[in-house]
Amino acid sequence: MNASAPGNAERHPLAARFVAGPYVSAPDNAEQRLGDWLSELEPAQSAAIGALLQHPNARDILRGIAEFSPYLFDLVRADAARLVRLLSCDPEPHLASLIENTGDAVWSASGEADVVHLLRRMKAEAALLIALCDIGGVWPVMRVTAALTDLAVASVQMALRFLLRHETARGRIGASDPERPEVGCGLIVLAMGKMGAGELNYSSDIDLIVFFDRNATSLVEDIEPQPFFVRLTQAMARLLQQRTGDGYVFRVDLRLRPDPASTQVAISTEAALHYYEREGRTWERAAMIKARPCAGDLAAGEALVGEIAPFVWRKHLDFAALADVHDMKRQMQTFRGQSEIAVEGHNVKVGRGGIREIEFFAQTQQLIAGGRHPELRVRPTLAALDVLAGSNWITYEARDELTAAYEFLRRVEHRLQMVADEQTHSLPDDPEAVGRFANFFGYASRDAFARDLIGHLNIVQGHYSRLFEGDPAGSAKLPDVDYAAGPEDQRLLDHLLALGFKKPAMVATTVQQWLTGDYRALRVEATRSAFVEFVPGLIDGLAHAEEPDNAVTAFDSFLQALQRGGRLISLLSQNPDLVALVALILGAAPRLGDMLARQPQIMDGLIDPRFFGAMPDRKELSERLATTLKDADSYEDFLDRLRLFGQESLFLIGTRILSGTVSAQQASTAFADVAEGIVHTVHGLVTDQFAGQYGKIRDQETAIIAMGRLGSREMTASSDLDLILLYDYDHEQPDSNGERSLHGAQYFARFTQRLISAFTTRTNYGVLYEIDMRLRPSGRAGPLASRLDSFADYQEREAWTWEHMALTRARVISASPAFRAKIEDVIRAVLTRPRDPAATAADVADMRRAIAQEKGEDDVWDLKYAAGGIVDIDFIAQYLQLAHAADKPDILNVATAAVLDNAARLGVLAQSDAEVLRAAARLYHDLTQILRLCVSDRFNPATAGEDLLRVMARAGDTPDFSTLEARLRETQAEVRRVFTAVVG
């Protein structure tokens, strides 16, 4: 942190120890950027850096940072003296000295402002040092994770010790040793997850649980423990995560505590132990494997971990423990039988074959046997694999392969996060961007990187799948049982119990009804025979659902509603791995289940090998749609095929959402691509059909403009289509040339009605989309279609602010290229005209208040209208565009997330506020996709099924629903704060 920090530079300069580096694909450009910066420095500094870059690999590392990592290059350019210091140091003692010196400075700091600055200065220097050691191959990846963890632990300790010293000085704490106020203070900070295991990633949050022992504190007599320690915890988190001009130290997540939706951020040890004893769940057992006291009263922390141990480590390998293991497996986001592993867009943490599967592989076996084998109670993942191999739980070959994969994937994860200091785990979505990342990672090409990545992912998936094939205890391998025997047959009940059903009598009764009852779908003898043969596989598949008993009930309801069963039963019997996926659909998304019961053929897409690969783009969707429609022999057949294509697409995208194999953003884009392709097709069909009846007007043009969620490509499964139709023609010859001639405006009004009818007419396959055209000029009072010059004039002279807000999402989705360009010019002219920011903000705020009065804003689960919900974020983005587009037209974009990025880049939105809004938008979209898929009315957690709550928690990246609700409330409060600051 300062020039005096020891580093043994003469003996071990870091610049001389680099053995690897990025593959610089554009060395001239990177050298230019590096050279431009060096030329701006003092000659002595430039010469010192130039000399250090003479060492092998050193210059390539700096070039690679300049080319691939905006975050690291900013750190490099921010302090040339720091770079010289780091390249000249021995990294091990330098990092230790940096932490020690900062700790001394923080302890003696006069106030919080100094502490905030000192901690962030330490983080910046350590972040650059650790990145250089990682990129240059100086440290192996697990030394990198250990260094990051040491930094995090020291940061928490420094912040807490400063606060305790401050409270001691104020007379609130009677510390026995004022130089060590944490000893005996009664406050315990447990590091969880990767921090607890010493495995932090480069841009990781830190997961902490804060406890206090109200009977063993050093508080003076009149201080109440709970409010005191809650305030202290909040102050500690603020010191670490508040963003300033110097950045932040670590983002702090306190939501792994018991029941976070209803407990304070610091919880008493008594309440915690009671909770773990009575209500603790499987994921909390797994989380506690890695729990480690990291700050506060460390001796009391070790004692608490010992008291929690019986909850984590069960004495016997009994049925309850096995059920816990199965429950953990069911909560994973992947399903067996999905063999395709992608490169583009793949999430190396939670995707198939990723880091999470390696961790789960180890943790599961630790939970099974750690009670009887204490040697398995280790925190680091690789140490757990080593002990498992030494104890003959796994082979040494499995250990070595999983270790190699884990180290490779962790290095990929780190390099992804070094690009922009974001906690991302996903590779870019397109091959060119993956190629650039591969270069940053040291590979010469995308394909070379992909070969190694896929090799590791397949190995991990293979070991993970083999671990869970069949029943771990072998209890499922009983002699054949009579599934028609009913609940009186004890052997059947034992078999169902062993498979994991908690209500075997109910399941036995239901299966008996399937085999002996009168279900319409099973009346054909061939179908019934196939079903009887399939029942054992069906029961095994349902046993792998997240809630097996509920899955049986849902499948029974589905079977009763099914009209024709032969094809579907044949498909499932040939693809038994789909049964658990269908059970999830039936249990969590009745809407999709009803669709499947009415149209079983939409299931076909699930067995397409492409189903779990990358989402199809617009070109591929257009080709599939053309194939679907090419044999249509009538207009009615054409409409039916369109509807079937739309329903199958909705079903497949919805299933991908439920199974966790696409992100909300990918699903939004896919829904929009499907809708856009269908709109374009219908537009062309109706144009030709209408011209056959009424002819055409000279030089006629029509265009469909997408507004709302289709315009911004943020659609859900239940989105209407908000559309505007614009037209133009030769004004001198306004009549059509058909036998039944129509005049100008009348022609296009009737054309628009025909277009709407094509979408909304109910056929044998239902309705295609509901159409909403209220965003047209003058709304319901205006004509259905508008001439382009009238539209431009209305937007210029009459439109309200809210109409221009809506126009920020306008996107031409079907038109000739020339007419499209004219419309886009009109829209851009409207959005970029000068406006009074204060007046615009007042209009936006008034509209938000009006919506709140009409719709309410107090229900946190009304994600759209809640205070701090989706509307707040949308309105912020729309306001920023209207207020600043005249001077900064680059801010314009139809997508909210892109607008926020543009606004932050252009300096009209604080980076910290942009980060809050981006994270909130992702959370809201993740949850909205699930709710629109699964719930038709207002969502009520009290009446929602367990399947849905579990899927929602997974979508929100939280371990359970209670944690999700706590996260949602915190997020909405932050968004409303930003809305008030930006708009008013």
mmCIF file of all heavy atoms in Angstrom, residues 705-720:
data_model
loop_
_atom_site.group_PDB
_atom_site.id
_atom_site.type_symbol
_atom_site.label_atom_id
_atom_site.label_comp_id
_atom_site.label_asym_id
_atom_site.label_seq_id
_atom_site.Cartn_x
_atom_site.Cartn_y
_atom_site.Cartn_z
ATOM 1 N N ILE A 705 -45.303 -1.798 -35.545
ATOM 2 C CA ILE A 705 -44.354 -1.355 -34.528
ATOM 3 C C ILE A 705 -44.676 -2.081 -33.231
ATOM 4 O O ILE A 705 -45.825 -2.059 -32.759
ATOM 5 C CB ILE A 705 -44.445 0.168 -34.300
ATOM 6 C CG1 ILE A 705 -44.169 0.915 -35.592
ATOM 7 C CG2 ILE A 705 -43.450 0.604 -33.218
ATOM 8 C CD1 ILE A 705 -44.295 2.410 -35.461
ATOM 9 N N ALA A 706 -43.689 -2.729 -32.672
ATOM 10 C CA ALA A 706 -43.845 -3.382 -31.366
ATOM 11 C C ALA A 706 -43.586 -2.357 -30.275
ATOM 12 O O ALA A 706 -42.609 -1.612 -30.322
ATOM 13 C CB ALA A 706 -42.861 -4.546 -31.238
ATOM 14 N N MET A 707 -44.466 -2.350 -29.298
ATOM 15 C CA MET A 707 -44.317 -1.481 -28.133
ATOM 16 C C MET A 707 -44.201 -2.366 -26.889
ATOM 17 O O MET A 707 -44.249 -3.588 -26.965
ATOM 18 C CB MET A 707 -45.528 -0.544 -28.018
ATOM 19 C CG MET A 707 -45.844 0.232 -29.286
ATOM 20 S SD MET A 707 -44.631 1.524 -29.650
ATOM 21 C CE MET A 707 -45.094 2.745 -28.426
ATOM 22 N N GLY A 708 -44.080 -1.746 -25.731
ATOM 23 C CA GLY A 708 -44.136 -2.495 -24.476
ATOM 24 C C GLY A 708 -43.081 -3.586 -24.407
ATOM 25 O O GLY A 708 -41.938 -3.425 -24.835
ATOM 26 N N ARG A 709 -43.482 -4.741 -23.865
ATOM 27 C CA ARG A 709 -42.533 -5.828 -23.611
ATOM 28 C C ARG A 709 -42.022 -6.474 -24.893
ATOM 29 O O ARG A 709 -40.900 -6.973 -24.931
ATOM 30 C CB ARG A 709 -43.176 -6.890 -22.718
ATOM 31 C CG ARG A 709 -43.511 -6.414 -21.318
ATOM 32 C CD ARG A 709 -42.272 -6.063 -20.539
ATOM 33 N NE ARG A 709 -42.579 -5.409 -19.278
ATOM 34 C CZ ARG A 709 -41.714 -4.704 -18.567
ATOM 35 N NH1 ARG A 709 -40.477 -4.561 -18.995
ATOM 36 N NH2 ARG A 709 -42.074 -4.126 -17.432
ATOM 37 N N LEU A 710 -42.835 -6.514 -25.935
ATOM 38 C CA LEU A 710 -42.327 -7.029 -27.208
ATOM 39 C C LEU A 710 -41.313 -6.060 -27.790
ATOM 40 O O LEU A 710 -40.270 -6.473 -28.305
ATOM 41 C CB LEU A 710 -43.481 -7.262 -28.192
ATOM 42 C CG LEU A 710 -43.087 -7.707 -29.611
ATOM 43 C CD1 LEU A 710 -42.239 -8.972 -29.576
ATOM 44 C CD2 LEU A 710 -44.324 -7.918 -30.472
ATOM 45 N N GLY A 711 -41.580 -4.764 -27.689
ATOM 46 C CA GLY A 711 -40.643 -3.774 -28.195
ATOM 47 C C GLY A 711 -39.299 -3.857 -27.508
ATOM 48 O O GLY A 711 -38.245 -3.767 -28.150
ATOM 49 N N SER A 712 -39.306 -4.052 -26.186
ATOM 50 C CA SER A 712 -38.051 -4.105 -25.422
ATOM 51 C C SER A 712 -37.469 -5.506 -25.347
ATOM 52 O O SER A 712 -36.434 -5.713 -24.712
ATOM 53 C CB SER A 712 -38.290 -3.573 -24.008
ATOM 54 O OG SER A 712 -39.227 -4.371 -23.319
ATOM 55 N N ARG A 713 -38.125 -6.471 -25.970
ATOM 56 C CA ARG A 713 -37.682 -7.874 -25.963
ATOM 57 C C ARG A 713 -37.583 -8.413 -24.543
ATOM 58 O O ARG A 713 -36.642 -9.113 -24.182
ATOM 59 C CB ARG A 713 -36.339 -8.025 -26.697
ATOM 60 C CG ARG A 713 -36.441 -7.664 -28.165
ATOM 61 C CD ARG A 713 -35.087 -7.572 -28.844
ATOM 62 N NE ARG A 713 -34.443 -8.879 -28.942
ATOM 63 C CZ ARG A 713 -34.755 -9.813 -29.840
ATOM 64 N NH1 ARG A 713 -35.733 -9.593 -30.707
ATOM 65 N NH2 ARG A 713 -34.107 -10.954 -29.864
ATOM 66 N N GLU A 714 -38.596 -8.074 -23.712
ATOM 67 C CA GLU A 714 -38.655 -8.508 -22.316
ATOM 68 C C GLU A 714 -39.960 -9.256 -22.046
ATOM 69 O O GLU A 714 -40.562 -9.133 -20.999
ATOM 70 C CB GLU A 714 -38.548 -7.284 -21.390
ATOM 71 C CG GLU A 714 -37.233 -6.543 -21.509
ATOM 72 C CD GLU A 714 -37.232 -5.191 -20.807
ATOM 73 O OE1 GLU A 714 -38.323 -4.634 -20.574
ATOM 74 O OE2 GLU A 714 -36.146 -4.690 -20.511
ATOM 75 N N MET A 715 -40.377 -10.091 -22.993
ATOM 76 C CA MET A 715 -41.671 -10.756 -22.891
ATOM 77 C C MET A 715 -41.654 -11.907 -21.889
ATOM 78 O O MET A 715 -40.609 -12.471 -21.566
ATOM 79 C CB MET A 715 -42.086 -11.297 -24.266
ATOM 80 C CG MET A 715 -42.536 -10.224 -25.241
ATOM 81 S SD MET A 715 -43.144 -10.961 -26.778
ATOM 82 C CE MET A 715 -44.666 -11.733 -26.218
ATOM 83 N N THR A 716 -42.861 -12.258 -21.423
ATOM 84 C CA THR A 716 -43.059 -13.437 -20.596
ATOM 85 C C THR A 716 -44.052 -14.358 -21.296
ATOM 86 O O THR A 716 -44.556 -14.049 -22.377
ATOM 87 C CB THR A 716 -43.602 -13.060 -19.208
ATOM 88 O OG1 THR A 716 -44.952 -12.591 -19.352
ATOM 89 C CG2 THR A 716 -42.745 -11.989 -18.551
ATOM 90 N N ALA A 717 -44.354 -15.468 -20.636
ATOM 91 C CA ALA A 717 -45.265 -16.452 -21.233
ATOM 92 C C ALA A 717 -46.675 -15.901 -21.425
ATOM 93 O O ALA A 717 -47.425 -16.403 -22.260
ATOM 94 C CB ALA A 717 -45.316 -17.702 -20.354
ATOM 95 N N SER A 718 -47.070 -14.884 -20.659
ATOM 96 C CA SER A 718 -48.448 -14.398 -20.735
ATOM 97 C C SER A 718 -48.547 -13.005 -21.327
ATOM 98 O O SER A 718 -49.591 -12.363 -21.238
ATOM 99 C CB SER A 718 -49.077 -14.401 -19.334
ATOM 100 O OG SER A 718 -48.380 -13.529 -18.471
ATOM 101 N N SER A 719 -47.471 -12.501 -21.933
ATOM 102 C CA SER A 719 -47.485 -11.135 -22.464
ATOM 103 C C SER A 719 -48.467 -10.996 -23.624
ATOM 104 O O SER A 719 -48.514 -11.846 -24.525
ATOM 105 C CB SER A 719 -46.092 -10.731 -22.944
ATOM 106 O OG SER A 719 -45.183 -10.629 -21.877
ATOM 107 N N ASP A 720 -49.260 -9.904 -23.589
ATOM 108 C CA ASP A 720 -50.000 -9.483 -24.775
ATOM 109 C C ASP A 720 -49.007 -8.878 -25.766
ATOM 110 O O ASP A 720 -47.844 -8.628 -25.428
ATOM 111 C CB ASP A 720 -51.038 -8.422 -24.421
ATOM 112 C CG ASP A 720 -52.127 -8.956 -23.501
ATOM 113 O OD1 ASP A 720 -52.237 -10.189 -23.373
ATOM 114 O OD2 ASP A 720 -52.854 -8.136 -22.917
#
